[in-house]
Amino acid sequence: MEIRTDHRFVAWCAACDWNVNPGQPEPPTGRLEVLRHRLARQHGETLLAEVTTDGTLRPRRDAVGVLALALALAVHGTTAALLVGGLLLVVLGWGSALPLLGALSLLVAWSLRPRFARLPEDEPVLRRADAPELFALVDEIAGTMGTTGVHAVSITAEYNASVSTYGLRRRRLLSIGLGLWETLTAEQRIALLGHELGHYANGDTRHGLIIGNALRSLDTWRYLLSPVEHPTLLEAALNALYLLPRSAVTGVLMTLDHLSLRATQRGEYLADTFAARCGSTEAAVGMMDRLLVADSAAAALLRESNSRQTRRAGAPTGSEVWSGLWERLAAHMDSIPESEHERQRRCSALRGHSVDSTHPPTHLRRARLLTAAALPAAVTMDTARSTALRAELKETRDEVARRVMYGR
């Protein structure tokens, strides 16, 4: 049997799946990550059947979600108890060793305090006045889903996009990775924004103030109670003393992880539905296919960066090295043959590929979109709007391209 393939990619047989999955990804390490990956796959498959039959997929709060919230509040209650107890020991314990114990309690409580993210300082951040066309598009997409837009947009070189909050007032931040953005069509960009903004619309609790900070507090507890490697006799005794509380913290963390993961994965399916509603089902599926070949984009950017190091005399000057980087990346991604996309789709099913351990496997997300009724685009972007958006982001695109090429 003759096997035809592009020399840049793995040779494989579509008829018998020979060599379809030549390299195994690194397995997760640590009990928690192993559990998260296993649950991601289990929940993803169970939820697929549920959301496929749910014609009106909506966010919901069930008994499991209430239990997760109660457990998170208990974690924060422990932090509050340490704070109050530490203050009482410091104030009322003078003349004994109690103030020292109180100071230790206050120090631990401070390390467990809720954290509020800040705007990134090492990447470009755009406000409304900087990119009115982009913010208008974000507002239109958000309005389609019944939510509001964002307060700031950060631009990175990553092959990814995300949403988060920052500051005490929980302002909204959208992060756009040009590695992904520049390889998508206009419709797929709308689907991408629809997916990310959908996390605001469906009230993603895992990254919220209460559950998100409880997970971070438990991670801090694990760090504080982590065993000392190559311990002395005294340190070995401390390791033994910490064994029970460390096991308890790990157990609570795994429980909260398990309780919140199902809602998070349901939220991913719901965000995919928002992506299809805004940009069309075809665009949302196409965007996922792009995510499956992310490694190829990373390799292309690495080659571009390395080319600056190895260029010979007569090559473009430093001011020109980064010019056209995103166009070259987009051309490379467009040149990936359908056979490689198909191989990656089959690998996804074999490996249970997901963006990370909190996402359902990508092939299941793709299957959900394809089994649901096809949706047309609710938001469109004509040539004039695309041109205006591109001109608006030119300086930022150039700045990020320079950072890719010069490694800073």
Side-chain angles (χ1 to χ4, degrees):
M1 178 182 296
E2 181 181 6
I3 298 176
R4 298 180 180 180
T5 187
D6 189 312
H7 71 277
R8 299 171 299 170
F9 303 100
V10 173
W12 67 290
C13 178
C16 66
D17 276 353
W18 168 81
N19 208 38
V20 69
N21 187 20
Q24 294 294 331
E26 289 292 326
T29 57
R31 287 187 297 169
L32 186 60
E33 274 306 302
V34 170
L35 175 68
R36 281 174 173 168
H37 279 267
R38 186 174 75 246
L39 290 176
R41 185 157 195 157
Q42 291 175 353
H43 284 322
E45 293 169 350
T46 303
L47 278 172
L48 176 63
E50 177 185 320
V51 300
T52 299
T53 57
D54 188 351
T56 57
L57 184 61
R58 297 188 182 93
R60 68 186 186 189
R61 175 66 57 82
D62 53 15
V64 173
V66 173
L67 185 57
L69 181 61
L71 186 57
L73 290 173
V75 171
H76 293 308
T78 302
T79 302
L82 281 171
L83 176 62
V84 174
L87 288 172
L88 291 175
L89 289 173
V90 169
V91 173
L92 303 178
W94 291 107
S96 66
L98 292 180
L100 182 60
L101 182 59
L104 179 61
S105 295
L106 291 175
L107 182 62
V108 173
W110 173 255
S111 66
L112 297 172
R113 72 192 185 281
R115 308 297 174 89
F116 299 93
R118 299 179 180 180
L119 283 175
E121 298 179 353
D122 56 349
E123 56 199 39
V125 176
L126 303 176
R127 306 282 190 165
R128 288 187 175 272
D130 303 317
E133 192 68 44
L134 175 61
F135 277 83
L137 177 62
V138 169
D139 288 343
E140 182 177 351
I141 293 172
T144 301
M145 296 179 290
T147 187
T148 57
V150 299
H151 299 91
V153 177
S154 67
I155 307 295
T156 73
E158 296 178 358
Y159 198 82
N160 196 11
S162 63
V163 289
S164 59
T165 59
Y166 65 93
L168 288 171
R169 299 175 65 182
R170 307 281 291 168
R171 291 183 176 274
R172 295 181 172 189
L173 172 67
L174 167 67
S175 178
I176 297 177
L178 292 181
L180 175 59
W181 178 266
E182 293 292 335
T183 67
L184 300 178
T185 65
E187 293 78 13
Q188 290 168 354
R189 291 174 181 176
I190 292 173
L192 175 67
L193 294 177
H195 176 93
E196 297 305 332
L197 294 170
H199 287 300
Y200 291 133
N202 65 37
D204 186 357
T205 59
R206 190 181 181 89
H207 301 290
L209 181 63
I210 297 176
I211 293 181
N213 272 298
L215 289 168
R216 279 188 285 273
S217 292
L218 290 168
D219 274 329
T220 302
W221 272 117
R222 289 181 71 216
Y223 172 77
L224 294 175
L225 298 171
S226 59
V228 178
E229 296 184 0
H230 312 296
T232 63
L233 186 60
L234 178 60
E235 289 169 340
L238 286 175
N239 285 348
L241 182 64
Y242 288 165
L243 179 61
L244 185 59
R246 183 169 63 247
S247 299
V249 168
T250 301
V252 174
L253 178 57
M254 286 184 171
T255 301
L256 184 56
D257 215 80
H258 178 74
L259 293 173
S260 61
L261 186 60
R262 181 179 175 85
T264 298
Q265 292 206 342
R266 184 180 177 86
E268 287 297 331
Y269 282 122
L270 182 56
D272 290 338
T273 300
F274 286 138
R277 182 189 303 174
C278 293
S280 79
T281 296
E282 180 182 1
V285 171
M287 178 190 67
M288 285 189 189
D289 284 340
R290 286 294 201 193
L291 291 174
L292 288 175
V293 292
D295 288 346
S296 186
L301 288 177
L302 181 60
R303 285 194 300 271
E304 289 282 351
S305 179
N306 289 340
S307 69
R308 185 189 69 83
Q309 312 271 350
T310 59
R311 71 184 188 278
R312 297 169 297 183
T317 62
S319 61
E320 298 171 325
V321 169
W322 48 265
S323 181
L325 172 66
W326 305 119
E327 289 78 7
R328 293 192 297 274
L329 176 63
H332 167 75
M333 299 302 287
D334 288 340
S335 74
I336 297 177
E338 175 55 29
S339 61
E340 178 62 13
H341 283 280
E342 177 59 25
R343 187 185 74 83
Q344 291 291 353
R345 285 192 285 268
R346 297 189 191 189
C347 280
S348 171
L350 290 172
R351 297 176 179 177
H353 175 279
S354 60
V355 177
D356 58 40
S357 61
T358 64
H359 286 64
T362 306
H363 71 284
L364 297 183
R365 295 169 57 193
R366 189 176 186 276
R368 150 68 186 167
L369 289 175
L370 290 174
T371 54
L375 298 174
V379 179
T380 58
M381 184 159 41
D382 57 21
T383 303
R385 192 174 196 180
S386 295
T387 302
L389 188 58
R390 182 181 181 81
E392 185 175 85
L393 295 177
K394 183 181 184 308
E395 289 186 10
T396 305
R397 293 170 72 250
D398 290 347
E399 179 182 348
V400 176
R402 283 192 293 268
R403 294 187 180 203
V404 170
M405 298 303 290
Y406 290 95
R408 60 176 185 268

